[in-house]
Amino acid sequence: MSIPSPLLGHYALGGILASILLNLLLRTFVKVGGLFASLLIAGLVAAGLALVFAWRNRRAPRPEERRSIVLRYGLGLGVLYLGLLAMMEHEYAHGPVGLLLFGLHYACYPALAWVALGWRGRNDAGQVQ
């Protein structure tokens, strides 16, 4: 009997929705902003992705699953960020430094997801893997 493969797109979609929700909540109601907010939200979502995957599958993601989740998550957020960038550029043209900073805000999400999904935690003997 083979182990069923988890639906990796669902994890990516859940991460995208969690990113949108946390961004709305923290930036609107809590008034947290800037790169700190992006790092905080990206870290929370990445940790959530890793914990939910480990909880549902009772293991860490295999390397190909990790790549697939991060690729789908990054592409989905990338499309949303490009739409946001188009709306921002329509209002006011930003220079290269503004675009670099915008890209840095986006890059936090897939980078932290990659790190969190690659972390193996502790084995049964209590040793860090």
Side-chain angles (χ1 to χ4, degrees), residues 65-114:
E65 293 170 331
R66 177 185 179 199
R67 278 190 301 270
S68 179
I69 292 171
V70 173
L71 180 68
R72 293 171 189 206
Y73 176 62
L75 285 175
L77 281 177
V79 168
L80 294 175
Y81 262 79
L82 283 175
L84 181 61
L85 180 63
M87 288 189 313
M88 287 172 43
E89 288 292 318
H90 180 67
E91 292 294 319
Y92 174 75
H94 296 84
V97 175
L99 295 176
L100 180 67
L101 187 60
F102 190 79
L104 185 61
H105 279 270
Y106 160 74
C108 295
Y109 292 91
L112 289 177
W114 179 260

Side-chain angles (χ1 to χ4, degrees), residues 50 53-54 59-66 69 116-120:
F53 189 95
R59 63 177 173 82
R62 293 188 288 266
E64 62 274 7
E65 293 170 331
R66 177 185 179 199
I69 292 171
L117 288 168
W119 187 64
R120 298 291 181 190

Side-chain angles (χ1 to χ4, degrees), residues 45-65:
V45 172
L49 278 172
L51 288 173
V52 168
F53 189 95
W55 173 65
R56 291 188 56 137
N57 298 290
R58 292 180 174 68
R59 63 177 173 82
R62 293 188 288 266
E64 62 274 7
E65 293 170 331

Side-chain angles (χ1 to χ4, degrees), residues 7-67:
L7 298 172
L8 303 177
H10 290 180
Y11 292 102
L13 183 60
I16 292 167
L17 293 175
S19 297
I20 293 169
L21 182 66
L22 284 174
N23 265 298
L24 286 173
L25 290 174
L26 284 177
R27 293 181 190 272
T28 303
F29 298 116
V30 183
K31 302 293 185 200
V32 177
L35 191 57
F36 174 74
S38 292
L39 286 170
L40 178 65
I41 295 165
L44 288 172
V45 172
L49 278 172
L51 288 173
V52 168
F53 189 95
W55 173 65
R56 291 188 56 137
N57 298 290
R58 292 180 174 68
R59 63 177 173 82
R62 293 188 288 266
E64 62 274 7
E65 293 170 331
R66 177 185 179 199
R67 278 190 301 270

